[in-house]
Amino acid sequence: MLKIVWEYIRKYCVIGLALLISMAGFTCSETDELDNAEEVYYVSEQGDDDADGQTRETAFRTIGHALERIGPGDMVLILPGTYNEELTLESIGSLDVAIIIRGEDGIPILDGQKQKNIGILCEQGTNIIFENMEIRNYTDVGLGVYSSSSVTRRNLIVHENGANAQLRGDRKSTRLNSSHIPLSRMPSS
């Protein structure tokens, strides 16, 4: 009986240890990404596009302004707020290092105000990570990913758009983790 109890304890201690190691790895990965980024750009509703975008205090005002500057290995951290923009990433990225576009300290909102066409358009992008954002109220598409490879969408809430997401012609892997992207309703005839 003691041998069975010992095996039971050993088995669950190993599982518990593995779980702790994986959780610690997950927690550290965001910090590692930040530390390993080539350039980090901050965006804030209170920012200024004439600033350098290198710190929270000198953040850009618009996400689009930050995206004009990024390259492989760079990170854009979007602080909480509501941003009324259409964002485009074309022919950008590298298989070697990711471009990370992340909501920081909460979930920033991209809002098309039922007037703008596309929330985020990623065309011919490579190794891009979108995470921690809400995308809503775009007339055509909330998130469009076309002819791209290794695009990850993590913790996105995409809703109330003409089409919430369009993923077409992805050349390689596309990952969707912990995102809430409901199917759009077809207009009634």
Side-chain angles (χ1 to χ4, degrees):
M1 179 69 160
L2 187 58
K3 186 176 181 178
I4 293 172
V5 170
W6 177 248
E7 285 299 315
Y8 178 81
I9 291 171
R10 225 175 75 183
K11 176 181 175 183
Y12 285 99
C13 283
V14 169
I15 291 171
L17 182 60
L19 182 60
L20 282 173
I21 290 169
S22 69
M23 285 174 26
F26 178 76
T27 304
C28 294
S29 68
E30 287 187 7
T31 304
D32 291 344
E33 288 172 346
L34 184 59
D35 291 341
N36 293 329
E38 296 285 329
E39 294 286 340
V40 177
Y41 297 104
Y42 290 86
V43 179
S44 169
E45 279 186 313
Q46 292 75 40
D48 181 351
D49 283 346
D50 290 330
D52 66 13
Q54 300 289 304
T55 68
R56 292 170 185 269
E57 294 74 27
T58 62
F60 294 135
R61 167 66 182 97
T62 60
I63 302 165
H65 194 73
L67 296 182
E68 291 171 4
R69 284 149 180 72
I70 61 170
D74 291 349
M75 179 182 290
V76 176
L77 297 176
I78 308 164
L79 300 175
T82 301
Y83 300 87
N84 309 114
E85 302 181 52
E86 290 179 295
L87 305 173
T88 301
L89 293 105
E90 290 183 281
S91 302
I92 190 167
S94 158
L95 288 175
D96 298 329
V97 290
I99 294 172
I100 300 170
I101 302 163
R102 173 187 296 153
E104 187 77 357
D105 297 337
I107 303 287
I109 300 167
L110 295 169
D111 191 339
Q113 301 176 310
K114 304 242 183 254
Q115 297 174 352
K116 297 187 184 312
N117 296 326
I118 298 175
I120 298 175
L121 169 65
C122 178
E123 192 163 15
Q124 296 180 2
T126 302
N127 202 3
I128 300 173
I129 299 171
F130 297 101
E131 61 185 337
N132 302 339
M133 292 182 272
E134 179 179 350
I135 306 168
R136 67 181 187 202
N137 296 325
Y138 287 89
T139 59
D140 294 345
V141 179
L143 174 66
V145 178
Y146 311 107
S147 302
S148 296
S149 63
S150 298
V151 175
T152 301
R153 294 164 303 278
R154 196 170 23 217
N155 194 26
L156 299 180
I157 302 166
V158 186
H159 64 103
E160 305 298 322
N161 300 291
N164 288 318
Q166 287 185 352
L167 314 172
R168 287 191 268 160
D170 285 358
R171 298 182 311 220
K172 199 175 174 189
S173 61
T174 298
R175 294 174 293 283
L176 182 62
N177 302 329
S178 304
S179 293
H180 176 66
I181 304 177
L183 296 175
S184 300
R185 293 185 184 172
M186 295 299 290
S188 48
S189 25

